Amino acid sequence: MTADPTPGAPSTTPDTKLEIRDLDAYYDAFCAIRGVTMSVRARAVTAIIGPSGCGKSTFLRTLNRMHELTPGARVEGSILLDGADIYDPAVDPVRLRRFVGMVFQRPNPFPTMSIYENVVAGIRLVGRASRSELDEIAERSLTRAALWNEVKDKLREPGTSLSGGQQQRLCIARAIAVDPEVVLMDEPASALDPVATLRIEELIAELRANYTIVIVTHNMQQAGRVSDETAFFTMNEDRAGYLVEFGPTREIFTNPRERLTEDYVSGRFG
């Protein structure tokens, strides 16, 4: 593995996509996560695991500046995307989210839009494109999301007409249609049945060839199946989340350095 697995030691490897340094995230006076330092490797899947309330989703939302959309929320520290601080005042958060997309826990297709319009909605927002260009983007994105063959004959039907698993793949197609570099996934399969969950996991494995993926999951087996590297978070006595251990997934699950990690992945707490 190329990423430095030691919390507190920034990576210097050339394939690092995101570098998180001394990150604190607050809701007003409450510190939700404290002192997180880790790197995210390009074109790999990084899983974020830990007990409920330890700040996993908050951490994920700091990576594309969605955290600051909550009134009173703020961050301290830095997050570098390809070496550039995304919290620099000169960075436009809306433009940033063009490069760092997000898929949420529950499928959220735009209810008034067709399958086709859901996919190309982001393209329409960021600039002009011809109909032929939109058609090409829609087909490419739905194909990458493993949905094209299922919907190609009903693109004008509402996105909400699809099954839950198909809706989530539609949301993934929408996220990748604008050609992001990073895709954040917040428990993307937690609301799905086992068959749809398996399809999402297979899709993640396929997407890692083109995208850097960071996934929050409460499912230890899922983290073990889909990720290359895993970060384990828990809470201190003040209920602030912090990074306990970060490294190759196989090592985190079979030979962790920290007793807290061993206890969590073995089911002794959490």
Side-chain angles (χ1 to χ4, degrees):
M1 291 292 178
T2 57
D4 189 327
T6 306
S11 170
T12 57
T13 56
D15 61 350
T16 295
K17 190 67 177 177
L18 288 163
E19 191 75 56
I20 299 94
R21 297 176 178 172
D22 298 319
L23 182 71
D24 300 338
Y26 291 86
Y27 294 98
D28 294 316
F30 172 66
C31 185
I33 53 175
R34 183 184 302 280
V36 175
T37 293
M38 59 178 281
S39 59
V40 174
R41 188 156 55 90
R43 297 194 177 186
V45 181
T46 299
I48 311 298
I49 64 172
S52 296
C54 71
K56 300 186 298 296
S57 292
T58 295
F59 173 72
L60 197 71
R61 289 166 63 89
T62 67
L63 300 181
N64 70 344
R65 295 185 58 172
M66 288 195 69
H67 174 66
E68 66 191 49
L69 297 178
T70 302
R74 60 186 174 88
V75 303
E76 296 178 359
S78 62
I79 298 175
L80 308 181
L81 173 63
D82 292 330
D85 191 345
I86 68 171
Y87 283 91
D88 186 290
V91 173
D92 178 357
V94 176
R95 186 171 184 273
L96 169 70
R97 295 177 198 124
R98 152 79 169 72
F99 297 98
V100 186
M102 191 161 189
V103 177
F104 296 92
Q105 183 173 0
R106 293 187 176 276
N108 62 339
F110 300 134
T112 61
M113 292 186 182
S114 67
I115 294 168
Y116 178 93
E117 289 298 333
N118 261 277
V119 177
V120 302
I123 299 297
R124 293 194 189 280
L125 284 175
V126 300
R128 294 183 178 180
S130 68
R131 183 53 186 264
S132 61
E133 289 171 329
L134 291 176
D135 289 348
E136 181 182 345
I137 290 168
E139 180 174 353
R140 181 176 67 245
S141 302
L142 287 166
T143 299
R144 283 185 171 179
L147 193 57
W148 174 251
N149 288 335
E150 298 170 43
V151 303
K152 61 183 179 181
D153 297 322
K154 49 183 179 180
L155 294 176
R156 300 303 167 190
E157 295 183 14
T160 52
S161 67
L162 300 174
S163 70
Q166 289 174 321
Q167 287 186 30
Q168 192 64 302
R169 280 184 279 151
L170 175 62
C171 293
I172 292 172
R174 185 176 67 197
I176 64 179
V178 294
D179 202 21
E181 298 176 9
V182 180
V183 179
L184 311 177
M185 297 185 174
D186 192 357
E187 300 197 22
S190 65
L192 305 180
D193 62 49
V195 173
T197 295
L198 177 60
R199 193 65 197 93
I200 293 296
E201 291 181 5
E202 291 172 342
L203 177 56
I204 291 169
E206 295 165 9
L207 292 175
R208 63 153 50 93
N210 296 298
Y211 305 98
T212 300
I213 298 175
V214 185
I215 177 172
V216 165
T217 179
H218 68 280
N219 186 317
M220 295 299 96
Q221 291 76 23
Q222 183 174 84
R225 287 191 296 265
V226 306
S227 68
D228 302 290
E229 295 173 315
T230 295
F232 168 55
F233 284 63
T234 192
M235 294 171 286
N236 63 21
E237 61 276 6
D238 297 322
R239 301 195 65 78
Y242 69 97
L243 177 63
V244 177
E245 188 168 350
F246 171 56
T249 295
R250 182 182 297 274
E251 292 184 13
I252 293 293
F253 281 89
T254 63
N255 189 32
R257 295 186 306 276
E258 302 294 333
R259 178 62 182 270
L260 274 174
T261 310
E262 182 179 354
D263 288 347
Y264 184 75
V265 299
S266 64
R268 285 195 283 270
F269 91 94

